[in-house]
Amino acid sequence: IVVPNGLPDMRGSVPEITAAPGTPLTILFCGVLIPSKGVGVLLNAFQRIVSQGANVRLELMGKWGDPTFQHDIGTFVEDHGLGDRVRFLGVKRDQEKWAHFAGCDIFCFPSYFEAESFGLVLAEAMQFAKPVVTTDWRGIPSVAEDGVNGFTVPIKDPGAVADKLMRLVNDPGLRQRMGLEGRRIFEERFTLERFRRNMENALASVHEK
């Protein structure tokens, strides 16, 4: 019996302020900043869409897992002239964390982490009606439905990530539709109340057997 994780619904606890016409769109990543969470893949994809003229900025929220990797990423940002577009937010909690989810336009999580399971951060983005770009990896497709609430791409493929990000950047209607689908899926499957009901039903079914 599989019972998906659930989250308290934080939408409405912070203002949702997304990009106004003509201002940069914000792409958000949340997770430990290590290679297998797709941080390097995301930076590579981000550089590609910037070179194609996308008016975007990137926020990465989480702690660094390796000082050598931190240095390498910093060098990449500097070498490609992305310093004014990329922000490393560090660890954020509670309302401050939710404010970044509520304020982004696209959530990107190109993970290939060996022990990736549910992809909780995807559900966190979906509760704020944000479209997602992520990977077809481990348990992630149980949360992100390709072509429905966002896009899933092969792992370690910055070109594919860039392509899907660019589609969302160029199509505000698509961003809105996929974001609303994500919100619908969150309400149906991933709220804390749904988790509790699913656990009760699972335990009752086992008891009956």
Side-chain angles (χ1 to χ4, degrees):
I1 300 173
V2 177
V3 178
N5 209 337
L7 299 168
D9 189 355
M10 302 307 297
R11 192 179 190 190
S13 66
V14 291
E16 293 187 39
I17 305 173
T18 51
T23 61
L25 299 179
T26 298
I27 300 167
L28 177 67
F29 168 94
C30 182
V32 182
L33 302 179
I34 56 177
S36 61
K37 287 289 184 177
V39 175
V41 173
L42 174 53
L43 262 295
N44 190 307
F46 182 75
Q47 185 272 327
R48 293 182 188 212
I49 67 172
V50 168
S51 69
Q52 294 172 39
N55 187 15
V56 288
R57 62 181 184 176
L58 176 63
E59 294 184 342
L60 298 102
M61 181 162 50
K63 66 179 181 179
W64 289 100
D66 179 349
T68 301
F69 181 62
Q70 180 179 2
H71 175 267
D72 291 344
I73 290 296
T75 300
F76 181 91
V77 170
E78 182 178 349
D79 288 350
H80 290 85
L82 299 174
D84 60 341
R85 292 177 180 260
V86 177
R87 292 180 62 203
F88 298 98
L89 303 174
V91 176
K92 303 295 181 184
R93 295 184 174 87
D94 303 325
Q95 298 302 99
E96 195 173 11
K97 172 184 176 180
W98 302 128
H100 286 283
F101 274 99
C104 77
D105 299 283
I106 302 166
F107 185 77
C108 189
F109 186 65
S111 177
Y112 54 96
F113 180 56
E114 297 81 359
E116 197 69 69
S117 55
F118 178 72
L120 190 65
V121 291
L122 294 165
E124 289 178 332
M126 288 160 58
Q127 71 178 322
F128 288 99
K130 306 302 178 179
V132 302
V133 176
T134 185
T135 42
D136 186 11
W137 177 250
R138 299 289 195 260
I140 287 174
S142 69
V143 182
E145 298 185 18
D146 185 48
V148 178
N149 62 314
F151 297 106
T152 59
V153 301
I155 62 170
K156 303 181 185 181
D157 191 340
V161 174
D163 176 67
K164 301 308 183 187
L165 286 175
M166 204 66 176
R167 284 186 62 182
L168 288 167
V169 166
N170 289 333
D171 193 337
L174 183 63
R175 292 198 304 273
Q176 183 180 42
R177 289 194 300 275
M178 287 187 160
L180 290 175
E181 280 297 298
R183 175 66 192 183
R184 178 189 63 78
I185 293 169
F186 171 80
E187 290 175 343
E188 288 181 357
R189 304 181 195 172
F190 302 128
T191 64
L192 190 58
E193 293 76 14
R194 174 63 67 181
F195 170 75
R196 288 169 175 162
R197 287 198 301 272
N198 288 343
M199 282 294 294
E200 289 171 359
N201 293 337
L203 293 170
S205 69
V206 171
H207 178 70
E208 290 170 1
K209 293 178 181 178

